[in-house]
Amino acid sequence: LKGARDTPELEFVRWDQAKDNATLPSLIRWTPLKRPERAIEKALRSYGGDVSRLMDICRESICFDKLCNLTLCLQVISHDKDVIIERVKNRLDPEHDPVSTGGYRDVALNIRLSTQETRGLGIDTHFCEVQLILTDFAAMKHDQGHKQYVEFRNARGE
């Protein structure tokens, strides 16, 4: 991210171009890997034990104050020649039933990186999830909101 947050100067840049930016670490809160207990629970509850269907062990969130900036980021990702989008869950779609996610909404992309380096390392089939979230919904993922979501998910058996 280059420029002030959610301003007309907003510009997305590749990590390899931004990683040496001295101010970047203060703008990022890295998401931990999915805990093994939750991965096993999800594989059993949602995928009949098929762990190959887990596509969100590695995940990251990008938060936006404005929908137009979320949309811009989605366009940038979708036009990146190194990114292969395998699945999109558009929970911002007006047709999405918010009851099914406890009111939570985002755009979740399951992606792979396919570069000469990832192919050479044999990791170009590794999936990760990128969640594009509006700030108000991101707040639901923290504190009481996340606890309520876990209770909601457990009640649904997911």
Side-chain angles (χ1 to χ4, degrees):
L1 176 64
K2 185 176 179 182
R5 188 169 151 194
D6 290 331
T7 66
E9 298 84 36
L10 182 73
E11 178 185 348
F12 294 95
V13 295
R14 295 174 54 95
W15 176 250
D16 59 356
Q17 297 168 346
K19 65 184 176 186
D20 296 325
N21 179 328
T23 61
L24 192 60
S26 68
L27 301 174
I28 297 175
R29 190 176 78 216
W30 297 106
T31 306
L33 296 175
K34 185 179 288 291
R35 291 176 312 132
E37 300 83 13
R38 174 59 187 140
I40 292 167
E41 179 183 71
K42 186 174 184 178
L44 293 173
R45 285 183 177 178
S46 299
Y47 302 131
D50 183 358
V51 296
S52 70
R53 295 185 60 198
L54 290 172
M55 301 176 89
D56 63 347
I57 300 294
C58 175
R59 66 264 167 99
E60 202 55 63
S61 299
I62 306 174
C63 299
F64 304 89
D65 289 333
K66 298 178 183 176
L67 182 60
C68 62
N69 291 334
L70 184 150
T71 303
L72 174 62
C73 182
L74 179 59
Q75 290 172 349
V76 169
I77 292 170
S78 67
H79 289 99
D80 187 322
K81 66 179 182 54
D82 296 334
V83 175
I84 299 170
I85 299 174
E86 294 289 343
R87 179 174 68 185
V88 177
K89 289 184 182 177
N90 184 359
R91 297 182 190 103
L92 292 176
D93 186 320
E95 300 295 316
H96 171 73
D97 177 11
V99 173
S100 69
T101 53
Y104 177 77
R105 290 180 176 258
D106 68 3
V107 177
L109 308 172
N110 295 114
I111 65 169
R112 297 184 297 114
L113 298 179
S114 183
T115 65
Q116 184 176 359
E117 182 179 12
T118 61
R119 288 186 297 274
L121 292 169
I123 58 172
D124 58 310
T125 59
H126 175 79
F127 289 93
C128 63
E129 182 171 271
V130 178
Q131 300 169 351
L132 308 179
I133 310 170
L134 293 170
T135 305
D136 291 341
F137 289 110
M140 294 175 68
K141 291 174 61 170
H142 302 289
D143 305 322
Q144 278 301 111
H146 184 68
K147 182 180 177 185
Q148 290 172 345
Y149 171 71
V150 169
E151 291 171 2
F152 172 80
R153 181 187 70 209
N154 287 341
R156 291 178 52 114
E158 297 176 341

